[in-house]
Amino acid sequence: MPTTIRRADYFYVMAGDQPGEAVALLKNLADLGVNLLAFTAVPMGPQRTQLTVFPEDPAHLQNAAAKARLDADGPHGALLVQGDDELGALAGVHERLFDAGVNVYATMGVTDGRGGYGYVVYVRPDDMARAAEAVGA
């Protein structure tokens, strides 16, 4: 599979750091018909967790969240990279962003165990247009 890079909107929900928060959110979104491209959960101090979802259809998530009274902050922009897992794949993406003067402030990635990978690249809103142009998104 060739590498593809596209813009992806994300939304986040702050939750208490306790068992069941992620499953409740994910089941709720599934029940509302929201398909996700990616999901992360990151601790934000000792008592809070930021649950971040990357919906396939951001408008559908916004409508569903409003109906469910779900306080989802967003949309915020990121880049979603998917492709064949090969040596140096991430370095090439970062090099293009660096050459364009874009500061990457966070990332998350995983291989699929079958030769592919997915990678989320977070850049500041002011850098998004330049980042997207640099990587052809």
Side-chain angles (χ1 to χ4, degrees):
M1 162 174 57
T3 298
T4 60
I5 304 175
R6 63 179 164 154
R7 291 181 189 220
D9 286 332
Y10 68 90
F11 299 78
Y12 66 86
V13 174
M14 297 304 293
D17 185 21
Q18 56 192 357
E21 293 292 331
V23 73
L25 174 66
L26 294 170
K27 286 184 75 163
N28 193 7
L29 293 176
D31 290 346
L32 294 167
V34 177
N35 188 43
L36 299 179
L37 301 172
F39 170 76
T40 64
V42 178
M44 303 297 286
Q47 301 298 317
R48 307 285 293 161
T49 299
Q50 181 176 301
L51 305 174
T52 305
V53 296
F54 290 78
E56 182 176 57
D57 182 347
H60 180 62
L61 179 127
Q62 288 177 298
N63 291 334
K67 288 177 187 173
R69 294 190 177 118
L70 180 64
D71 186 22
D73 190 300
H76 304 283
L79 299 171
L80 177 61
V81 184
Q82 295 171 295
D84 292 328
D85 184 17
E86 59 188 47
L87 189 62
L90 301 182
V93 172
H94 280 265
E95 183 174 34
R96 294 187 333 202
L97 293 169
F98 172 76
D99 289 345
V102 173
N103 183 40
V104 172
Y105 73 88
T107 64
M108 181 229 18
V110 65
T111 64
D112 66 8
R114 294 176 291 170
Y117 75 97
Y119 191 55
V120 176
V121 180
Y122 298 88
V123 299
R124 304 277 181 216
D126 293 346
D127 288 338
M128 182 53 75
R130 197 168 23 150
E133 182 178 342
V135 297

